[in-house]
Amino acid sequence: MARTFEFFFDYASATAPLSLPLIAAIEKRTGAQSVWRPMFLGGVMQATGNRPPGTVAAKGAYMARDIQRCAAHVGIPFYMNPAFPVNTLAALRATVGFEDKAEQRRFATACFQESWSVPQPLNLGDPAHLQQLCEKHGFDAAKVAAMTTDPANKEKLKANTDEAVSRGVFGAPSFFVDGDLFFGHDRLDYVERALTA
């Protein structure tokens, strides 16, 4: 049976999309499968007392430059989202509503791409922008809109967020291999090492 590793994410994280090409490469090299776990980063940060890097001026200035280097390193375009910090709750609730995991991953990938990797990033907190994303990527916009307000999806997202906090997550992206936490896209080489140990 192929091994798995968990990917806890929120579209609000500018560094989370940097993980996507690295995850795909790890899956190809190791045969392991990623399990995508949407969580609400705002809830995680509130529960853990964490603060955004931009609240420290020097760190924010450094990260603005460094994220461009990181994006070039992993081979994807990066554009700062003018709506940052984006309210991603609706998109996350829709994401957890996908029962087909391949479709869930395709939707999440589209959300990351349209939020951070196109010259005119979308605001996922705007229902019109979410509809635009659905139309562009071949999702049923009405179905996705219904998923954003489904109480069951609200509970699923809350459960994922609470579980992440209980397991030691304090930010995004976060990964688990056999219960061990790895934080940040730049720790995916450690994730691969753990998977092949």
Side-chain angles (χ1 to χ4, degrees), residues 3 5-6 18-27 29-30 32 73-74 173-177 180-197:
R3 298 193 69 184
F5 60 105
E6 294 171 279
L18 303 175
S19 306
L20 273 57
L22 303 175
I23 288 170
I26 288 173
E27 290 177 325
R29 285 192 297 265
T30 68
H73 180 72
V74 302
S174 290
F175 305 88
F176 283 94
V177 179
D180 285 334
L181 170 64
F182 300 85
F183 171 69
H185 78 279
D186 55 351
R187 288 298 181 265
L188 277 162
D189 54 343
Y190 288 47
V191 167
E192 182 168 2
R193 203 171 302 164
L195 288 166
T196 57

Side-chain angles (χ1 to χ4, degrees), residues 139-180:
F139 294 99
D140 183 330
K143 180 179 178 182
V144 168
M147 290 160 68
T148 67
T149 58
D150 186 331
N153 293 339
K154 292 181 181 181
E155 286 305 310
K156 286 180 191 175
L157 181 62
K158 184 179 185 305
N160 277 4
T161 303
D162 291 345
E163 179 188 339
V165 171
S166 74
R167 293 172 67 185
V169 170
F170 54 88
S174 290
F175 305 88
F176 283 94
V177 179
D178 296 333
D180 285 334

Side-chain angles (χ1 to χ4, degrees), residues 55-141:
T55 59
V56 178
K59 190 172 185 180
Y62 170 80
M63 286 195 68
R65 176 70 187 97
D66 191 57
I67 199 166
Q68 294 291 345
R69 288 192 290 248
C70 292
H73 180 72
V74 302
I76 63 171
F78 178 86
Y79 298 89
M80 190 62 199
N81 194 313
F84 182 82
V86 179
N87 181 347
T88 57
L89 270 172
L92 290 167
R93 288 168 179 163
T95 306
V96 298
F98 280 89
E99 294 183 9
D100 182 309
K101 294 307 176 187
E103 278 296 279
Q104 181 192 59
R105 180 169 176 161
R106 193 171 77 82
F107 181 76
T109 300
C111 287
F112 276 124
Q113 179 183 332
E114 298 298 330
S115 294
W116 300 106
S117 295
V118 294
Q120 295 181 313
L122 297 182
N123 175 1
L124 297 182
D126 183 335
H129 282 207
L130 198 56
Q131 179 175 346
Q132 184 180 333
L133 179 149
C134 289
E135 292 169 353
K136 179 177 177 180
H137 291 272
F139 294 99
D140 183 330

